[in-house]
Amino acid sequence: MRLMNYKHLVVLGAALLSFSFNGEAAVAAPHVPEDIFRWVQSSARTNYFFNKQQICYEVDAEGNVDTNVLIVPVLKTFDDVMINDVVAKRRWNGKSLAGFDDFVGVAEYLIINLAEKKVSVQEVDYLDSTWTSIEVVRTDAEVSLEELSEKSLDAKFYERIIDYAMRNQLVLAMRTKGNMDEAVKAKLAEQQAAYRAENKPDRQEDNE
């Protein structure tokens, strides 16, 4: 049921085929449009982005917006070392290598439960340089935010996603296709204002 909410959310045209290079990031990664994706961080092997145009709230079985749960499409692009490692492991495990000669990274579809402080990965799409899905893997992987080390790259990534959601609660509410009372919207506006007052944005444009 949830897959229907966000399966279509990562949309990148085949026209985005130029390559960008950043000395501090994983190199030779396909260009990622900044108006769609928010870059968060880069390790030696991976660039981390989330889709700031499509992050939204969950909608429950009754069609009501659940502001305790975020639906977040994310994108990770890899450097050549990471790409070769993924391909080598697939070869070792006897998995298909079809399309993996142009493999560049993955799109993941996250559900972040703010109340329970848990993140679950619902799906992983392996992508080529035209952002076409090579392979789709369904998963029920889940992690507790409280169990992640503060130095963990995943912890920092999720923290930045949640920060963006907290300072843009009204934007997420309007974007989510579900029912929401005016009283709930008013409460979100108060919470958003309070959060922004107490927490300086990492980037000024993070306050939409």
Side-chain angles (χ1 to χ4, degrees):
M1 180 107 181
R2 278 173 169 164
L3 278 175
M4 295 177 64
N5 289 338
Y6 57 81
K7 173 57 185 170
H8 66 290
L9 297 184
V10 172
V11 180
L12 288 171
L16 302 171
L17 298 181
S18 61
F19 286 75
S20 60
F21 295 85
N22 183 330
E24 298 179 355
V27 299
H31 171 69
V32 177
E34 294 182 3
D35 61 326
I36 298 176
F37 285 88
R38 168 68 157 88
W39 173 83
V40 173
Q41 63 188 357
S42 293
S43 68
R45 300 286 172 256
T46 305
N47 300 303
Y48 294 75
F49 307 83
F50 67 89
N51 190 321
K52 63 182 182 180
Q53 286 190 359
Q54 301 293 350
I55 179 175
C56 63
Y57 293 120
E58 173 66 296
V59 176
D60 65 23
E62 285 73 42
N64 298 313
V65 176
D66 185 349
T67 58
N68 285 318
V69 182
L70 300 175
I71 303 297
V72 192
V74 305
L75 176 67
K76 297 177 182 178
T77 59
F78 303 142
D79 80 334
D80 289 342
V81 174
M82 184 69 168
I83 289 170
N84 291 335
D85 184 54
V86 171
V87 173
K89 287 180 179 179
R90 291 185 66 84
R91 182 181 293 111
W92 176 261
N93 291 317
K95 295 183 178 180
S96 172
L97 297 179
F100 278 84
D101 55 336
D102 192 31
F103 172 61
V104 297
V106 298
E108 296 178 350
Y109 301 89
L110 308 182
I111 293 178
I112 302 180
N113 191 309
L114 301 174
E116 297 180 1
K117 297 183 179 180
K118 292 181 179 179
V119 178
S120 59
V121 181
Q122 296 292 294
E123 180 179 306
V124 178
D125 288 14
Y126 291 82
L127 305 173
D128 67 18
S129 65
T130 67
W131 307 113
T132 300
S133 190
I134 303 170
E135 183 179 44
V136 178
V137 177
R138 304 281 191 260
T139 174
D140 57 0
E142 184 177 83
V143 62
S144 169
L145 293 173
E146 295 179 325
E147 294 178 1
L148 292 175
S149 165
E150 291 183 0
K151 296 182 179 179
S152 163
L153 286 171
D154 283 341
K156 294 178 181 178
F157 188 39
Y158 300 147
E159 179 182 354
R160 184 59 58 202
I161 292 172
I162 293 171
D163 173 77
Y164 187 89
M166 292 299 293
R167 63 180 63 257
N168 293 290
Q169 296 177 55
L170 290 177
V171 172
L172 269 60
M174 289 186 291
R175 179 180 295 155
T176 306
K177 306 300 182 182
N179 306 317
M180 178 176 286
D181 294 338
E182 290 301 318
V184 176
K185 291 182 181 179
K187 182 179 179 181
L188 289 181
E190 292 179 2
Q191 292 175 171
Q192 175 179 291
Y195 186 88
R196 290 187 179 189
E198 296 173 4
N199 298 273
K200 183 179 179 180
D202 182 56
R203 297 181 186 174
Q204 194 56 46
E205 59 266 30
D206 283 349
N207 286 339
E208 292 191 17

